[in-house]
Amino acid sequence: MPKKQILTKANMETDIKNVLKNPANMSRFEYRKSVTPPLIFSAIALVVMLVFQQYYKLVLLVSLIFIAVYLLVGYIIQTNSIKNVSLDDYEVSEEVVLNVIEDTYSTNNRSYINKKLSEVRAYIMRFENGKSWNIPDDNYVWSVECSMSDKTLYQLAKEGDVFIVVTKKDTFDIVVAYPAEYFEYKN
């Protein structure tokens, strides 16, 4: 067993940035919030194209420009928010693991070249306070000794283990969790 790593504010912020970079780690609410405006605008543009058929090229061009600008602005805002991550927006606490489960689901990645269903494994850690955490693919990337994949963390964690949990203050979502057996946090 490697010696305990000291968790610094910079290390935690690095892990939070790593989690926020991956859109798969977005909550359902954040995902809906990011996708809804282009979908609504596309529906409105479709209706306008049907009503004003002689101007459909102009309406199509304007709608494509709007969607491109919306996505670009969203990307810039996300990039700036990732750069400006501060541990002050997060709460750090110790939580006890209730259980750790492996969930397998199929995705429909069908294309003309690759016509197969692929299975995706998700590892979920539930804590005694009722919160759950979808374990990201790569964890603790800053650590030389304790960098772990989601599967390694799944195999390592057991019921009753204590984890240092970082929770976002405004959404109460768990962003990252550290096994107290390998990491030590000092304020």
Side-chain angles (χ1 to χ4, degrees), residues 52-149:
F52 301 105
Q53 290 180 355
Q54 67 264 23
Y55 301 112
Y56 77 93
K57 289 181 184 176
L58 180 64
V59 173
L60 183 62
L61 179 65
V62 169
S63 64
L64 289 176
I65 289 172
F66 171 78
I67 291 171
V69 167
Y70 178 82
L71 293 175
L72 181 66
V73 167
Y75 175 76
I76 291 169
I77 290 171
Q78 180 186 11
T79 303
N80 287 339
S81 68
I82 289 172
K83 287 180 186 174
N84 299 328
V85 166
S86 171
L87 200 57
D88 298 334
D89 299 332
Y90 297 87
E91 184 178 305
V92 180
S93 62
E94 287 192 355
E95 304 291 342
V96 178
V97 175
L98 182 65
N99 62 8
V100 185
I101 59 170
E102 177 182 16
D103 191 14
T104 305
Y105 59 94
S106 297
T107 60
N108 194 358
N109 288 340
R110 292 183 181 220
S111 66
Y112 293 108
I113 299 168
N114 186 9
K115 294 185 178 192
K116 69 173 188 171
L117 293 175
S118 60
E119 285 189 349
V120 177
R121 294 193 193 290
Y123 302 101
I124 302 164
M125 189 177 297
R126 293 198 175 107
F127 294 94
E128 287 185 350
N129 66 357
K131 293 182 183 177
S132 62
W133 176 52
N134 293 340
I135 303 172
D137 294 339
D138 299 315
N139 298 283
Y140 329 126
V141 292
W142 54 269
S143 175
V144 176
E145 297 175 4
C146 296
S147 184
M148 298 180 199
S149 69

Side-chain angles (χ1 to χ4, degrees), residues 1-6 146 148 156 179-184:
M1 178 176 116
K3 76 175 196 174
K4 278 192 173 186
Q5 298 268 313
I6 302 295
C146 296
M148 298 180 199
L156 181 83
E181 184 179 341
Y182 296 100
F183 296 95
E184 183 178 345

